Amino acid sequence: MHKILFVCLGNICRSPAAEGVFTHLVRESGLDQNFQIDSCGITGFHAGEMADIRMRDHADRRGVELASISRKFALEDFKKFDLIIAMDNRNFKDLYELDHSKEYREKIVMFCDYCETRPEKEVPDPYYGGADGFEEVLDIVEDASKGLLKSLSV
Ligand code: 4NP
């Protein structure tokens, strides 16, 4: 069983997209039984909310439903998950700092490290931008999701 947690700042745009796209890919590959997939935010500003309507609309158009409800990262998540995947450098740094014991640093990784074709090192925050930003998030997330699944299927 692979236990995967995607993390961004608000858990209403990037990490719900990553959770939705990766879950979709895992289902298509018939590997559902082998995965537990979740997402959360460094902040709880949007806790209890569905993903941003713009993110949901853009994902819908690619046949991906985003069903997650926003929640804040909890310290127990370090124990519960095998891989804690940050969307950007700030998320990565925040997670590192929350790991006071330094016990879990090997679990904390950058999502873009799994990209196969996209050159980005981070998934950019689309919240204050336009439609292009949401499309770009999905392009990067799809590429990184494929690489992540390959890395876990070997
Ligand atoms: P996310 O995007 O981290 O991809 O969910 C954001 C959503 C909300 C805010 C910032 C980023 N906000 O400041 O409310």
Side-chain angles (χ1 to χ4, degrees):
M1 175 68 78
H2 300 291
K3 299 175 192 164
I4 314 282
L5 182 65
F6 295 103
V7 184
C8 64
L9 186 61
N11 192 213
I12 53 166
C13 296
R14 294 165 293 172
S15 60
E19 179 188 348
V21 166
F22 188 67
T23 300
H24 187 79
L25 197 60
V26 161
R27 282 196 191 131
E28 271 185 348
S29 311
L31 295 168
D32 319 32
Q33 304 299 319
N34 303 354
F35 283 89
Q36 258 177 39
I37 305 164
D38 195 7
S39 68
C40 68
I42 295 291
T43 70
F45 294 153
H46 295 275
E49 296 175 21
M50 293 197 74
D52 187 288
I53 184 68
R54 297 165 295 172
M55 194 74 255
R56 280 189 280 139
D57 279 350
H58 284 271
D60 256 356
R61 286 183 222 154
R62 298 185 187 210
V64 176
E65 188 196 355
L66 305 187
S68 70
I69 302 293
S70 177
R71 73 167 178 93
K72 186 179 176 181
F73 178 81
L75 290 176
E76 304 90 77
D77 289 323
F78 280 130
K79 275 205 188 84
K80 287 186 190 163
F81 292 90
D82 306 318
L83 264 187
I84 298 171
I85 306 186
M87 297 297 121
D88 66 23
N89 290 332
R90 182 175 163 196
N91 311 147
F92 185 89
K93 183 169 175 280
D94 286 341
L95 288 165
Y96 245 56
E97 283 171 5
L98 285 164
D99 175 21
H100 307 296
S101 64
K102 303 185 176 160
E103 216 179 315
Y104 303 109
R105 2 204 76 177
E106 284 175 13
K107 294 186 177 188
I108 307 169
V109 297
M110 288 290 288
F111 198 26
C112 284
D113 285 352
Y114 295 95
C115 278
E116 298 185 309
T117 60
R118 298 288 305 198
E120 289 84 357
K121 296 290 170 216
E122 304 180 84
V123 184
D125 185 348
Y127 192 67
Y128 294 105
D132 288 358
F134 289 89
E135 285 299 306
E136 186 185 27
V137 165
L138 289 167
D139 288 340
I140 300 169
V141 161
E142 283 179 357
D143 187 38
S145 291
K146 287 180 199 157
L148 173 61
L149 185 57
K150 275 190 202 161
S151 81
L152 297 170
S153 305
V154 285

